[in-house]
Amino acid sequence: NAGVTQTPKFQVLKTGQSMTLQCAQDMNHEYMSWYRQDPGMGLRLIHYSVGAGITDQGEVPNGYNVSRSTTEDFPLRLLSAAPSQTSVYFCASSYYVNTEAFFGQGTRLTVV
Amino acid sequence: GQQVMQIPQYQHVQEGEDFTTYCNSSTTLSNIQWYKQRPGGHPVFLIQLVKSGEVKKQKRLTFQFGEAKKNSSLHITATQTTDVGTYFCAGQDNAGNNRKLIWGLGTSLAVNP
């Protein structure tokens, strides 16, 4: 039982490049979300999804896109990377928003 | 907007001392969750509180949910070095957009052996 799998674990991008952070869960969870974590800022919600085909914006969505074509996968796309997007990114999944959330191992992204 | 304030931001204790972190919401919450994140790790679920005035215990950890469901606390008795990490609370708003959690900024706990 893999839980929540996030790839890659580390990534360095140049300003302006695009990339996709992958997130997959095998627990048949309906609710999935992406957070970024910066020192002193806690976990800030980027986008979330309450089920396949449904996504919505969190508190810091600018510069990021998501899609949820299947229950299992919830990729996060950086459209044109900026140094301000240097952060640690976590994907999480749960049955519903108010049930235990399982987090991936995180992706440490540096934009130079 | 909806906010969950978490205090203190940092706490440094000697091993064996007690520790408490508090979360205060500007709105009534339908439930609140607590997570622990070890340095370099990812958040791990500890517990969820749902009922007004609820108290739950996990070994040396005691969790409380206020009567008005606007505040919560986590108390650790006799801290150990394994308690080191950042503790987050996350609440679900009882009204408005209740499809996302509102997170506190976390309390980082350091324990001197």
Side-chain angles (χ1 to χ4, degrees):
Chain A
N1 193 342
V4 179
T5 302
Q6 246 185 276
T7 55
K9 290 187 178 179
F10 301 94
Q11 183 72 50
V12 178
L13 287 179
K14 294 183 178 179
T15 298
Q17 286 184 319
S18 62
M19 79 159 294
T20 300
L21 277 63
Q22 301 292 343
C23 177
Q25 52 93 7
D26 61 0
M27 296 172 282
N28 203 30
H29 286 168
E30 291 293 328
Y31 191 88
M32 296 186 75
S33 52
W34 275 101
Y35 294 90
R36 60 176 290 173
Q37 186 173 39
D38 304 291
M41 301 293 288
L43 292 163
R44 291 188 291 171
L45 182 65
I46 305 172
H47 286 285
Y48 64 98
S49 168
V50 299
I54 306 169
T55 63
D56 207 345
Q57 296 181 348
E59 56 183 309
V60 288
N62 292 341
Y64 308 95
N65 272 356
V66 291
S67 60
R68 185 93 181 271
S69 56
T70 66
T71 299
E72 294 78 19
D73 299 298
F74 191 44
L76 177 72
R77 280 181 286 277
L78 279 69
L79 308 173
S80 177
S84 60
Q85 293 178 305
T86 293
S87 187
V88 179
Y89 291 84
F90 288 103
C91 176
S93 78
S94 55
Y95 282 113
Y96 306 109
V97 63
N98 60 351
T99 58
E100 176 182 357
F102 293 82
F103 283 77
Q105 299 293 315
T107 297
R108 189 172 296 273
L109 175 68
T110 303
V111 182
V112 298
Chain B
Q2 305 142 357
Q3 285 187 336
V4 171
M5 306 300 292
Q6 193 171 351
I7 56 170
Q9 189 175 4
Y10 303 99
Q11 185 80 53
H12 207 141
V13 300
Q14 287 293 128
E15 190 171 21
E17 291 182 338
D18 291 356
F19 160 77
T20 304
T21 173
Y22 301 90
C23 278
N24 297 297
S25 171
S26 58
T27 60
T28 302
L29 302 171
S30 56
N31 57 78
I32 194 162
Q33 300 174 5
W34 285 91
Y35 291 80
K36 176 184 178 182
Q37 183 179 25
R38 295 182 186 273
H42 59 279
V44 175
F45 176 83
L46 293 175
I47 208 160
Q48 182 182 60
L49 305 171
V50 178
K51 299 176 183 176
S52 169
E54 189 169 15
V55 178
K56 287 187 176 181
K57 293 191 176 184
Q58 290 179 350
K59 298 182 180 178
R60 295 178 293 104
L61 278 61
T62 302
F63 304 84
Q64 292 188 329
F65 201 11
E67 293 289 342
K69 301 182 76 173
K70 284 188 171 183
N71 53 70
S72 182
S73 65
L74 158 60
H75 179 83
I76 301 178
T77 303
T79 55
Q80 299 175 359
T81 54
T82 53
D83 295 324
V84 165
T86 301
Y87 293 85
F88 292 97
C89 62
Q92 184 188 19
D93 196 8
N94 201 32
N97 185 344
N98 60 1
R99 300 197 304 176
K100 51 187 178 181
L101 295 176
I102 311 164
W103 289 79
L105 293 184
T107 296
S108 293
L109 173 64
V111 180
N112 273 353

